[in-house]
Amino acid sequence: MLTRRHALLGTAALSVATTHAGAAEPIPVVASFSILADFVREVGGERVRIDTLVGPGQDAHLFQPAPGDARRIAAARVVVLNGLGFEGWMTRLIRAANFQGTQVVASQGIRTLRAEHGHAHGHGHSHGHADPHLWQDPKRAQVMVRRIAAGLSAADPAGRPTYEANAARYNERLEALHTWVEAQYADIPRERRRIVTSHDAFAYYGERYGIDFLAAQGVTTRGEPSAQHIARLVQQLRRERITAIFIEGMANPRILEQVAAESGARIGGTLYSDALSAADGPAPTYEAMIRHNTNRIVEALAG
């Protein structure tokens, strides 16, 4: 005879079994570099397990895939990449892995700017003259977040409500971030918003917030600028009385130190463009990166 105690124990066991059965294993996702991994983390939450190919502080332009990276991709259900040739090595890597899962190209369908220099990204692969650094504009980043949510939903339909809700909440924060950045420049005259960086990666940020970025290099960190390029840059700094120079987080500071010494400009600090900092650094997340960069630029321009 089934007693009340037995019935309660049976109900509890059924509840535990249902909980275990309903708890989905996190889906394995590979992100090409640290900024996209941060987007995936915000959208996917506990439903995803993220593996990042090019981690914080590492240069995607100079990344050399290893055989183990193909195995990491082969084990994933979703691969998230920027596209626009930013990861020139990614096509070969996906092919080598015989990847059969969902590919999410976060830049797809977003209006691009033309790169100022026709350099190639990643082992000679051209980006087709489109600047791939879309994430530097928080408004475009919101579209990238929605692309990621759609891709995760396609691979994991049961998680769609979670992905869409997480993306919506995160994009509210990115909208607030955009509003905050706009406010920081409100008192700086447009004609004073001119700075030099070591890497031409800030055009989208510049377009959004009315800042002119001059670069000692093109949109890739692979090559050294010529002596003529540096000489022209120094002349322009002197002629236009540009006083702020910034070193990118991954760049060799030697070039800009030379430009600063010859032009009389001062180095205003480090900006982060293609990679987040380490967890204990000033830019461990995308939001922190944009805030850090904005604060450094505003301080230099206001000074």
Side-chain angles (χ1 to χ4, degrees):
M1 181 177 181
L2 184 64
T3 66
R4 182 174 183 273
R5 181 174 178 273
H6 288 136
L8 289 174
L9 288 174
T11 302
L14 179 60
S15 175
V16 170
T18 302
T19 300
H20 284 296
E25 281 290 317
I27 66 170
V29 179
V30 168
S32 59
F33 68 111
S34 58
I35 294 171
L36 285 188
D38 192 47
F39 291 165
V40 174
R41 188 173 297 108
E42 292 287 350
V43 174
E46 295 182 354
R47 292 192 71 92
V48 301
R49 186 178 70 251
I50 305 167
D51 193 357
T52 310
L53 293 176
V54 186
Q58 298 179 350
D59 190 344
H61 303 299
L62 305 179
F63 180 66
Q64 296 275 0
D69 295 319
R71 291 193 291 271
R72 293 158 72 184
I73 287 180
R77 283 177 56 187
V78 181
V79 169
V80 180
L81 62 152
N82 183 75
L84 298 175
F86 180 73
E87 313 95 332
W89 34 266
M90 197 64 162
T91 299
R92 290 198 316 275
L93 194 56
I94 289 174
R95 187 182 303 120
N98 193 27
F99 178 67
Q100 302 296 318
T102 300
Q103 290 187 47
V104 181
V105 181
S107 67
Q108 186 174 4
I110 303 176
R111 182 179 66 84
T112 60
L113 300 176
R114 182 177 175 83
E116 289 298 317
H117 305 274
H119 293 288
H121 272 65
H123 311 293
H125 289 260
S126 172
H127 52 65
H129 305 299
D131 186 337
H133 303 88
L134 296 161
W135 59 85
Q136 287 294 340
D137 171 14
K139 297 290 287 187
R140 285 179 171 88
Q142 292 176 47
V143 183
M144 298 174 79
V145 167
R146 290 195 290 271
R147 295 277 183 274
I148 291 169
L152 293 177
S153 297
D156 175 26
R160 181 184 299 274
T162 297
Y163 301 136
E164 291 181 348
N166 288 349
R169 281 192 295 268
Y170 186 47
N171 275 347
E172 287 179 0
R173 284 160 44 197
L174 296 187
E175 184 63 26
L177 178 66
H178 160 67
T179 301
W180 176 84
V181 175
E182 282 190 319
Q184 306 315 299
Y185 292 110
D187 295 331
I188 299 177
R190 178 65 180 83
E191 62 272 14
R192 286 179 53 190
R193 301 181 192 178
R194 297 173 66 78
I195 66 174
V196 168
T197 63
S198 57
H199 179 201
D200 192 5
F202 296 95
Y204 292 98
Y205 183 100
E207 180 197 51
R208 181 64 63 188
Y209 302 114
I211 301 171
D212 295 328
F213 286 89
L214 306 175
Q217 291 179 254
V219 294
T220 177
T221 56
R222 286 180 61 78
E224 292 285 308
S226 66
Q228 292 84 356
H229 189 165
I230 291 176
R232 287 195 301 270
L233 185 60
V234 170
Q235 292 170 3
Q236 185 173 9
L237 286 169
R238 291 171 174 169
R239 183 176 63 251
E240 300 183 15
R241 299 181 179 179
I242 298 172
T243 60
I245 300 181
F246 288 90
I247 298 171
E248 185 204 339
M250 300 176 301
N252 183 340
R254 180 182 56 80
I255 295 169
L256 284 195
E257 288 170 354
Q258 176 187 346
V259 172
E262 294 181 13
S263 67
R266 67 183 181 88
I267 295 178
T270 299
L271 300 181
Y272 290 83
S273 61
D274 294 355
L276 301 177
S277 72
D280 59 351
T285 68
Y286 174 77
E287 292 171 278
M289 181 188 79
I290 295 295
R291 289 183 182 275
H292 168 84
N293 288 350
T294 299
N295 284 329
R296 296 291 78 76
I297 294 169
V298 168
E299 288 170 5
L301 295 178

XYZ file of all heavy atoms in Angstrom, residues 181-270:
709
model
N 28.717 58.572 -23.486
C 29.850 59.030 -24.294
C 29.527 60.374 -24.940
O 30.350 61.310 -24.916
C 30.221 57.986 -25.366
C 31.325 58.533 -26.273
C 30.674 56.680 -24.734
N 28.347 60.496 -25.513
C 27.950 61.769 -26.119
C 28.081 62.916 -25.122
O 28.573 64.001 -25.461
C 26.512 61.691 -26.627
C 26.347 60.966 -27.938
C 24.951 61.144 -28.502
O 23.985 61.091 -27.720
O 24.834 61.334 -29.725
N 27.645 62.689 -23.913
C 27.671 63.747 -22.901
C 29.092 64.167 -22.555
O 29.338 65.341 -22.221
C 26.941 63.283 -21.647
N 30.052 63.239 -22.632
C 31.435 63.567 -22.275
C 32.052 64.572 -23.240
O 32.956 65.334 -22.859
C 32.298 62.301 -22.224
C 31.773 61.198 -21.328
C 31.306 61.683 -19.985
O 32.093 62.237 -19.208
N 30.031 61.495 -19.702
N 31.590 64.574 -24.484
C 32.164 65.469 -25.498
C 31.377 66.767 -25.664
O 31.759 67.614 -26.479
C 32.246 64.741 -26.849
C 33.238 63.612 -26.856
C 32.817 62.290 -26.917
C 34.602 63.857 -26.777
C 33.728 61.247 -26.906
C 35.523 62.822 -26.771
C 35.081 61.520 -26.836
O 35.989 60.490 -26.820
N 30.330 66.919 -24.908
C 29.431 68.060 -25.123
C 30.140 69.398 -25.025
O 29.804 70.349 -25.755
C 28.276 67.992 -24.119
N 31.131 69.525 -24.153
C 31.795 70.812 -23.930
C 33.103 70.964 -24.698
O 33.823 71.954 -24.497
C 32.068 71.000 -22.430
C 30.782 71.105 -21.620
O 29.769 71.579 -22.176
O 30.786 70.673 -20.444
N 33.413 69.994 -25.551
C 34.651 70.078 -26.334
C 34.316 70.512 -27.750
O 33.592 69.811 -28.467
C 35.379 68.722 -26.349
C 35.754 68.318 -24.915
C 36.638 68.797 -27.220
C 36.403 66.966 -24.810
N 34.799 71.678 -28.204
C 34.480 72.155 -29.558
C 34.895 71.140 -30.621
O 35.924 70.463 -30.486
C 35.307 73.447 -29.668
C 35.561 73.876 -28.260
C 35.671 72.609 -27.463
N 34.093 71.061 -31.650
C 34.345 70.074 -32.707
C 35.732 70.235 -33.310
O 36.412 69.249 -33.603
C 33.263 70.210 -33.798
C 33.429 69.280 -34.996
C 33.287 67.833 -34.585
N 33.443 66.924 -35.707
C 34.621 66.500 -36.176
N 35.745 66.922 -35.615
N 34.689 65.668 -37.197
N 36.202 71.450 -33.493
C 37.490 71.666 -34.144
C 38.676 71.196 -33.290
O 39.784 71.031 -33.801
C 37.673 73.146 -34.505
C 37.685 74.106 -33.319
C 36.298 74.588 -32.922
O 35.302 73.982 -33.391
O 36.219 75.564 -32.171
N 38.460 70.964 -32.010
C 39.535 70.481 -31.138
C 39.569 68.958 -31.030
O 40.475 68.398 -30.417
C 39.370 71.077 -29.731
C 39.735 72.537 -29.637
C 39.531 73.062 -28.233
N 40.224 72.252 -27.220
C 40.038 72.398 -25.916
N 39.191 73.303 -25.462
N 40.688 71.641 -25.066
N 38.636 68.288 -31.633
C 38.540 66.837 -31.477
C 39.388 66.127 -32.534
O 38.901 65.464 -33.444
C 37.082 66.380 -31.583
C 36.160 67.011 -30.549
C 34.752 66.491 -30.695
N 33.792 67.263 -29.920
C 32.489 67.034 -29.905
N 31.990 66.035 -30.633
N 31.685 67.787 -29.182
N 40.712 66.257 -32.381
C 41.648 65.644 -33.323
C 42.774 65.016 -32.521
O 43.440 65.700 -31.735
C 42.192 66.678 -34.304
C 41.115 67.290 -35.192
C 41.675 68.432 -36.036
N 42.647 67.979 -37.017
C 42.346 67.386 -38.173
N 41.080 67.164 -38.490
N 43.294 67.009 -39.008
N 43.001 63.732 -32.710
C 44.057 63.026 -31.992
C 44.753 62.047 -32.928
O 44.262 61.756 -34.028
C 43.532 62.273 -30.755
C 42.592 61.137 -31.177
C 42.847 63.205 -29.782
C 42.161 60.266 -30.015
N 45.893 61.535 -32.475
C 46.661 60.547 -33.230
C 46.716 59.254 -32.422
O 46.903 59.273 -31.205
C 48.092 61.057 -33.501
C 48.988 59.936 -34.033
C 48.049 62.201 -34.504
N 46.537 58.133 -33.104
C 46.658 56.819 -32.491
C 47.661 55.979 -33.267
O 48.013 56.307 -34.410
C 45.309 56.075 -32.454
O 44.871 55.855 -33.803
C 44.262 56.873 -31.700
N 48.083 54.882 -32.666
C 49.072 54.020 -33.310
C 48.449 53.072 -34.331
O 49.162 52.405 -35.071
C 49.812 53.200 -32.241
O 48.893 52.443 -31.486
N 47.155 53.008 -34.395
C 46.468 51.993 -35.211
C 45.142 52.586 -35.660
O 44.392 53.098 -34.842
C 46.261 50.732 -34.357
C 45.537 49.614 -35.048
N 44.896 48.622 -34.348
C 45.342 49.335 -36.346
C 44.357 47.770 -35.191
N 44.609 48.184 -36.413
N 44.865 52.520 -36.956
C 43.671 53.150 -37.510
C 42.445 52.272 -37.261
O 41.932 51.617 -38.157
C 43.869 53.386 -39.006
C 42.795 54.299 -39.587
O 41.968 54.812 -38.806
O 42.785 54.499 -40.804
N 41.982 52.245 -35.988
C 40.891 51.342 -35.615
C 39.689 52.072 -35.038
O 38.747 51.421 -34.594
C 41.398 50.332 -34.588
N 39.696 53.399 -35.063
C 38.681 54.158 -34.331
C 37.776 54.994 -35.232
O 37.138 55.940 -34.771
C 39.362 55.049 -33.286
C 40.089 54.286 -32.233
C 41.457 54.036 -32.361
C 39.424 53.786 -31.115
C 42.141 53.311 -31.392
C 40.102 53.064 -30.148
C 41.459 52.827 -30.289
N 37.715 54.654 -36.516
C 36.918 55.459 -37.439
C 35.433 55.449 -37.082
O 34.746 56.478 -37.208
C 37.119 54.972 -38.873
N 34.911 54.312 -36.642
C 33.484 54.235 -36.307
C 33.177 55.044 -35.046
O 32.147 55.721 -34.968
C 33.053 52.781 -36.130
C 33.093 51.996 -37.422
C 34.178 51.175 -37.727
C 32.053 52.093 -38.349
C 34.224 50.468 -38.915
C 32.092 51.390 -39.537
C 33.181 50.575 -39.824
O 33.229 49.882 -41.007
N 34.055 54.981 -34.082
C 33.916 55.811 -32.885
C 33.991 57.280 -33.289
O 33.196 58.110 -32.835
C 35.029 55.454 -31.907
C 34.983 56.171 -30.578
C 34.462 55.544 -29.451
C 35.503 57.450 -30.428
C 34.440 56.189 -28.212
C 35.490 58.104 -29.211
C 34.954 57.470 -28.104
O 34.939 58.119 -26.885
N 34.955 57.595 -34.158
C 35.112 58.974 -34.602
C 33.905 59.493 -35.355
O 33.482 60.639 -35.152
N 33.351 58.657 -36.224
C 32.163 59.083 -36.965
C 30.998 59.337 -36.015
O 30.265 60.326 -36.156
C 31.766 58.010 -37.980
C 30.533 58.389 -38.793
C 29.884 57.198 -39.494
O 29.623 56.179 -38.824
O 29.626 57.297 -40.714
N 30.821 58.466 -35.042
C 29.684 58.577 -34.131
C 29.789 59.822 -33.245
O 28.782 60.498 -32.988
C 29.600 57.319 -33.259
C 28.443 57.305 -32.269
C 27.093 57.290 -32.952
N 26.904 56.073 -33.741
C 25.866 55.883 -34.561
N 24.936 56.831 -34.692
N 25.773 54.774 -35.260
N 31.006 60.137 -32.798
C 31.154 61.195 -31.795
C 31.911 62.423 -32.297
O 32.288 63.284 -31.496
C 31.823 60.614 -30.541
C 31.023 59.462 -29.982
C 31.530 58.162 -29.983
C 29.727 59.652 -29.499
C 30.779 57.096 -29.502
C 28.968 58.585 -29.024
C 29.505 57.314 -29.028
O 28.750 56.258 -28.563
N 32.108 62.499 -33.610
C 32.689 63.711 -34.177
C 34.140 63.932 -33.815
O 34.532 65.047 -33.463
N 34.948 62.875 -33.919
C 36.372 62.980 -33.592
C 37.185 62.542 -34.811
O 36.877 61.534 -35.447
C 36.736 62.096 -32.388
C 35.913 62.515 -31.177
C 38.231 62.178 -32.073
C 36.039 61.576 -30.008
N 38.234 63.303 -35.130
C 39.132 62.948 -36.225
C 40.323 62.194 -35.654
O 41.057 62.718 -34.817
C 39.617 64.206 -36.954
C 38.482 64.941 -37.645
O 37.527 64.269 -38.089
O 38.541 66.180 -37.727
N 40.500 60.960 -36.121
C 41.626 60.129 -35.693
C 42.647 60.056 -36.829
O 42.307 59.669 -37.950
C 41.168 58.713 -35.355
C 40.415 58.603 -34.062
C 39.044 58.754 -34.018
C 41.087 58.354 -32.874
C 38.337 58.651 -32.831
C 40.402 58.254 -31.676
C 39.024 58.400 -31.649
N 43.869 60.416 -36.536
C 44.972 60.208 -37.460
C 45.774 59.030 -36.936
O 45.884 58.835 -35.726
C 45.868 61.453 -37.523
C 45.158 62.771 -37.853
C 46.138 63.934 -37.764
C 44.533 62.705 -39.229
N 46.335 58.252 -37.838
C 47.016 57.028 -37.407
C 48.420 56.945 -37.974
O 48.666 57.295 -39.126
C 46.209 55.799 -37.825
N 49.339 56.446 -37.145
C 50.707 56.199 -37.600
C 50.793 54.929 -38.428
O 51.750 54.706 -39.122
C 51.641 56.095 -36.405
N 49.785 54.085 -38.341
C 49.691 52.878 -39.158
C 48.315 52.852 -39.813
O 47.431 53.646 -39.487
C 49.861 51.620 -38.303
C 51.259 51.441 -37.750
C 51.353 50.202 -36.889
O 51.420 50.291 -35.701
N 51.375 49.044 -37.524
N 48.128 51.888 -40.722
C 46.813 51.717 -41.310
C 45.940 50.873 -40.404
O 46.147 50.806 -39.207
N 44.960 50.201 -40.971
C 44.035 49.432 -40.153
C 44.586 48.078 -39.737
O 43.890 47.281 -39.151
C 42.683 49.216 -40.875
C 41.967 50.520 -41.055
C 42.890 48.513 -42.212
N 45.838 47.797 -40.024
C 46.463 46.579 -39.534
C 47.690 46.909 -38.698
O 48.364 47.895 -38.949
C 46.886 45.646 -40.695
O 47.542 44.510 -40.145
C 47.784 46.327 -41.684
N 47.983 46.096 -37.715
C 49.185 46.273 -36.898
C 50.350 45.458 -37.444
O 51.399 45.389 -36.807
C 48.906 45.835 -35.449
O 48.443 44.485 -35.455
C 47.887 46.723 -34.796
N 50.187 44.875 -38.615
C 51.212 43.958 -39.129
C 52.443 44.692 -39.622
O 53.553 44.194 -39.542
C 50.633 43.114 -40.268
C 49.672 42.038 -39.794
C 49.130 41.224 -40.957
N 50.188 40.539 -41.686
C 50.778 39.419 -41.282
N 50.433 38.868 -40.144
N 51.707 38.860 -42.001
N 52.288 45.864 -40.240
C 53.405 46.523 -40.889
C 53.891 47.754 -40.140
O 53.156 48.360 -39.376
N 55.151 48.108 -40.371
C 55.716 49.331 -39.820
C 55.433 50.476 -40.793
O 55.566 50.326 -42.003
C 57.230 49.167 -39.640
C 57.616 48.169 -38.557
C 57.404 48.745 -37.165
O 57.887 49.846 -36.882
O 56.733 48.075 -36.366
N 55.063 51.670 -40.287
C 54.877 52.805 -41.179
C 56.220 53.244 -41.752
O 57.266 53.087 -41.116
C 54.272 53.873 -40.262
C 54.748 53.509 -38.906
C 54.824 52.008 -38.886
N 56.177 53.796 -42.947
C 57.405 54.234 -43.584
C 57.911 55.515 -42.939
O 57.172 56.240 -42.249
C 57.165 54.473 -45.076
O 56.278 55.579 -45.240
N 59.189 55.824 -43.191
C 59.764 57.079 -42.682
C 59.022 58.275 -43.255
O 58.807 59.280 -42.560
C 61.250 57.133 -43.039
N 58.605 58.159 -44.515
C 57.860 59.263 -45.139
C 56.503 59.459 -44.461
O 56.063 60.603 -44.263
C 57.666 58.982 -46.638
C 58.954 59.019 -47.453
C 59.713 57.696 -47.407
O 59.315 56.764 -46.703
N 60.809 57.617 -48.164
N 55.856 58.353 -44.105
C 54.559 58.437 -43.421
C 54.719 59.136 -42.077
O 53.935 60.021 -41.710
C 53.999 57.025 -43.235
C 52.576 56.983 -42.748
N 51.799 55.858 -42.800
C 51.795 57.936 -42.174
C 50.607 56.116 -42.294
N 50.586 57.367 -41.895
N 55.758 58.762 -41.342
C 55.991 59.371 -40.038
C 56.318 60.853 -40.192
O 55.819 61.702 -39.435
C 57.127 58.635 -39.301
C 56.657 57.224 -38.906
C 57.571 59.412 -38.057
C 57.739 56.376 -38.262
N 57.124 61.180 -41.193
C 57.486 62.590 -41.404
C 56.255 63.425 -41.736
O 56.095 64.547 -41.227
C 58.517 62.689 -42.531
N 55.380 62.886 -42.580
C 54.148 63.618 -42.923
C 53.269 63.791 -41.685
O 52.640 64.839 -41.493
C 53.378 62.882 -44.022
C 54.013 62.975 -45.388
C 53.029 62.548 -46.487
N 52.556 61.192 -46.307
C 53.157 60.120 -46.825
N 54.268 60.261 -47.548
N 52.666 58.909 -46.645
N 53.213 62.754 -40.841
C 52.400 62.823 -39.632
C 52.931 63.890 -38.684
O 52.168 64.681 -38.111
C 52.378 61.456 -38.949
C 51.480 61.306 -37.717
C 50.027 61.591 -38.058
C 51.619 59.904 -37.133
N 54.247 63.942 -38.515
C 54.852 64.958 -37.653
C 54.547 66.352 -38.179
O 54.186 67.265 -37.416
C 56.373 64.728 -37.544
C 57.057 65.921 -36.863
C 56.667 63.448 -36.773
N 54.679 66.537 -39.485
C 54.384 67.842 -40.085
C 52.928 68.239 -39.853
O 52.623 69.409 -39.557
C 54.696 67.807 -41.581
C 56.179 67.690 -41.903
C 56.438 67.411 -43.367
O 55.502 67.356 -44.177
N 57.706 67.220 -43.725
N 52.025 67.265 -39.992
C 50.607 67.559 -39.789
C 50.320 67.924 -38.335
O 49.539 68.835 -38.053
C 49.745 66.380 -40.224
C 48.247 66.666 -40.164
C 47.410 65.548 -40.763
O 47.934 64.489 -41.077
N 46.135 65.789 -40.931
N 50.938 67.220 -37.404
C 50.758 67.531 -35.990
C 51.186 68.965 -35.689
O 50.500 69.708 -34.983
C 51.560 66.556 -35.127
C 51.019 65.125 -35.004
C 52.051 64.221 -34.347
C 49.738 65.097 -34.215
N 52.333 69.339 -36.227
C 52.817 70.699 -36.001
C 51.904 71.725 -36.661
O 51.544 72.744 -36.054
C 54.241 70.838 -36.550
C 55.287 70.049 -35.773
C 56.606 70.076 -36.506
N 57.691 69.459 -35.736
C 58.892 69.166 -36.253
N 59.138 69.432 -37.530
N 59.815 68.604 -35.495
N 51.544 71.455 -37.917
C 50.739 72.409 -38.684
C 49.376 72.628 -38.053
O 48.881 73.762 -37.969
C 50.592 71.907 -40.125
C 49.819 72.852 -41.039
C 49.810 72.328 -42.467
N 49.141 71.050 -42.614
C 49.745 69.900 -42.869
N 51.073 69.850 -42.974
N 49.062 68.781 -42.994
N 48.729 71.526 -37.610
C 47.367 71.629 -37.085
C 47.329 71.712 -35.558
O 46.263 71.718 -34.961
C 46.550 70.429 -37.569
C 46.477 70.349 -39.082
C 45.621 69.200 -39.579
O 44.861 68.630 -38.767
O 45.724 68.852 -40.765
N 48.508 71.772 -34.946
C 48.617 71.930 -33.497
C 47.832 70.849 -32.739
O 47.124 71.116 -31.773
C 48.145 73.326 -33.081
C 48.971 74.442 -33.686
C 48.497 75.797 -33.224
N 49.317 76.858 -33.812
C 49.139 78.163 -33.609
N 48.169 78.566 -32.796
N 49.917 79.050 -34.180
N 47.998 69.626 -33.206
C 47.393 68.475 -32.522
C 48.308 68.078 -31.377
O 49.508 67.866 -31.576
C 47.185 67.306 -33.500
C 46.209 67.720 -34.611
C 46.656 66.074 -32.764
C 46.081 66.700 -35.717
N 47.773 67.994 -30.194
C 48.605 67.781 -29.006
C 48.437 66.416 -28.366
O 49.188 66.080 -27.451
C 48.280 68.848 -27.951
O 46.888 68.750 -27.603
C 48.579 70.244 -28.481
N 47.456 65.615 -28.785
C 47.162 64.346 -28.112
C 47.564 63.161 -28.988
O 47.121 63.057 -30.130
C 45.683 64.255 -27.761
N 48.391 62.285 -28.455
C 48.796 61.051 -29.123
C 48.498 59.889 -28.182
O 48.792 59.956 -26.985
C 50.292 61.053 -29.467
C 50.637 62.212 -30.395
C 50.706 59.738 -30.104
C 52.097 62.247 -30.787
N 47.938 58.818 -28.740
C 47.583 57.657 -27.921
C 48.228 56.401 -28.476
O 48.310 56.206 -29.687
C 46.066 57.480 -27.872
C 45.365 58.503 -27.040
C 44.918 59.683 -27.607
C 45.184 58.304 -25.683
C 44.286 60.642 -26.843
C 44.556 59.252 -24.907
C 44.107 60.431 -25.487
N 48.647 55.538 -27.559
C 49.210 54.241 -27.917
C 48.132 53.193 -27.745
O 47.461 53.144 -26.713
C 50.414 53.914 -27.015
C 51.510 54.958 -27.222
C 50.938 52.505 -27.289
C 52.642 54.846 -26.220
N 47.961 52.366 -28.756
C 46.971 51.294 -28.653
C 47.502 50.203 -27.734
O 48.713 49.995 -27.631
C 46.679 50.728 -30.039
C 45.571 49.689 -30.043
C 45.673 48.755 -31.204
O 46.306 49.098 -32.203
O 45.119 47.647 -31.092
N 46.583 49.513 -27.062
C 46.956 48.530 -26.055
C 47.910 47.458 -26.547
O 48.728 46.961 -25.782
N 47.846 47.076 -27.830
C 48.678 45.993 -28.332
C 49.892 46.501 -29.096
O 50.699 45.719 -29.570
C 47.858 45.091 -29.257
C 46.664 44.448 -28.616
S 45.711 43.493 -29.810
C 45.297 44.761 -31.013
N 50.026 47.820 -29.254
C 51.015 48.359 -30.167
C 52.376 48.543 -29.510
O 52.491 48.717 -28.300
C 50.534 49.696 -30.715
N 53.405 48.525 -30.346
C 54.745 48.891 -29.914
C 54.782 50.413 -29.769
O 54.552 51.133 -30.737
C 55.759 48.422 -30.959
C 57.185 48.702 -30.552
O 57.459 49.544 -29.699
N 58.112 48.007 -31.178
N 55.063 50.933 -28.574
C 55.001 52.379 -28.381
C 56.115 53.148 -29.055
O 56.069 54.378 -29.131
C 55.097 52.518 -26.849
C 55.857 51.306 -26.420
C 55.416 50.216 -27.347
N 57.124 52.458 -29.586
C 58.304 53.145 -30.115
C 57.958 54.158 -31.199
O 58.506 55.269 -31.234
C 59.293 52.106 -30.668
C 60.563 52.694 -31.247
C 61.453 51.586 -31.811
N 60.760 50.780 -32.797
C 60.592 51.146 -34.075
N 61.049 52.322 -34.493
N 59.974 50.350 -34.910
N 57.031 53.794 -32.090
C 56.708 54.674 -33.210
C 56.090 55.982 -32.725
O 56.514 57.075 -33.129
C 55.754 53.959 -34.189
C 56.457 52.752 -34.816
C 55.266 54.916 -35.274
C 55.528 51.840 -35.581
N 55.099 55.866 -31.837
C 54.454 57.091 -31.371
C 55.359 57.894 -30.455
O 55.247 59.123 -30.393
C 53.143 56.764 -30.674
C 51.975 56.400 -31.594
C 50.660 56.458 -30.844
C 51.903 57.314 -32.811
N 56.235 57.228 -29.726
C 57.199 57.974 -28.917
C 58.100 58.811 -29.820
O 58.449 59.958 -29.493
C 58.025 57.011 -28.068
C 57.223 56.408 -26.915
C 57.946 55.274 -26.227
O 59.029 54.871 -26.714
O 57.435 54.781 -25.198
N 58.462 58.269 -30.980
C 59.252 59.017 -31.954
C 58.463 60.208 -32.485
O 58.985 61.330 -32.560
C 59.659 58.105 -33.115
C 60.407 58.823 -34.241
C 60.645 57.912 -35.435
O 60.485 56.699 -35.345
N 61.015 58.509 -36.562
N 57.194 59.966 -32.837
C 56.356 61.053 -33.352
C 56.174 62.139 -32.300
O 56.244 63.338 -32.597
C 54.987 60.496 -33.802
C 54.026 61.628 -34.153
C 55.155 59.569 -35.002
N 55.951 61.734 -31.046
C 55.763 62.719 -29.977
C 57.011 63.555 -29.783
O 56.951 64.786 -29.632
C 55.392 62.005 -28.684
N 58.183 62.908 -29.801
C 59.433 63.635 -29.591
C 59.677 64.643 -30.702
O 60.167 65.759 -30.451
C 60.591 62.640 -29.504
N 59.323 64.294 -31.945
C 59.599 65.164 -33.082
C 58.553 66.253 -33.271
O 58.829 67.285 -33.879
C 59.716 64.323 -34.353
C 60.912 63.375 -34.351
C 61.020 62.570 -35.623
O 60.322 62.900 -36.607
O 61.809 61.596 -35.645
N 57.348 66.032 -32.755
C 56.260 66.990 -32.978
C 55.990 67.895 -31.789
O 55.329 68.926 -31.926
C 54.970 66.245 -33.326
O 54.510 65.505 -32.204
N 56.462 67.482 -30.613
C 56.151 68.251 -29.423
C 54.828 67.881 -28.782
O 54.450 68.453 -27.759
N 54.116 66.921 -29.361
C 52.846 66.465 -28.772
C 53.147 65.561 -27.585
O 54.257 65.047 -27.430
C 52.018 65.722 -29.814
N 52.149 65.343 -26.749
C 52.349 64.469 -25.599
C 51.520 63.194 -25.760
O 50.467 63.203 -26.404
C 51.954 65.176 -24.298
C 50.480 65.469 -24.149
C 50.214 66.246 -22.867
N 48.790 66.515 -22.686
C 47.947 65.695 -22.071
N 48.379 64.548 -21.594
N 46.676 66.001 -21.932
N 52.000 62.103 -25.185
C 51.280 60.836 -25.228
C 50.229 60.838 -24.129
O 50.545 60.996 -22.945
C 52.241 59.650 -25.078
C 53.182 59.596 -26.296
C 51.475 58.340 -24.953
C 54.219 58.495 -26.229
N 48.975 60.676 -24.517
C 47.864 60.808 -23.578
C 47.475 59.521 -22.888
O 46.559 59.522 -22.073
N 48.141 58.426 -23.209
C 47.810 57.170 -22.557
C 47.552 56.057 -23.558
O 47.885 56.170 -24.741
N 46.941 54.995 -23.073
C 46.684 53.799 -23.879
C 45.204 53.683 -24.190
O 44.358 53.861 -23.324
C 47.140 52.542 -23.117
O 48.543 52.635 -22.877
C 46.846 51.281 -23.919
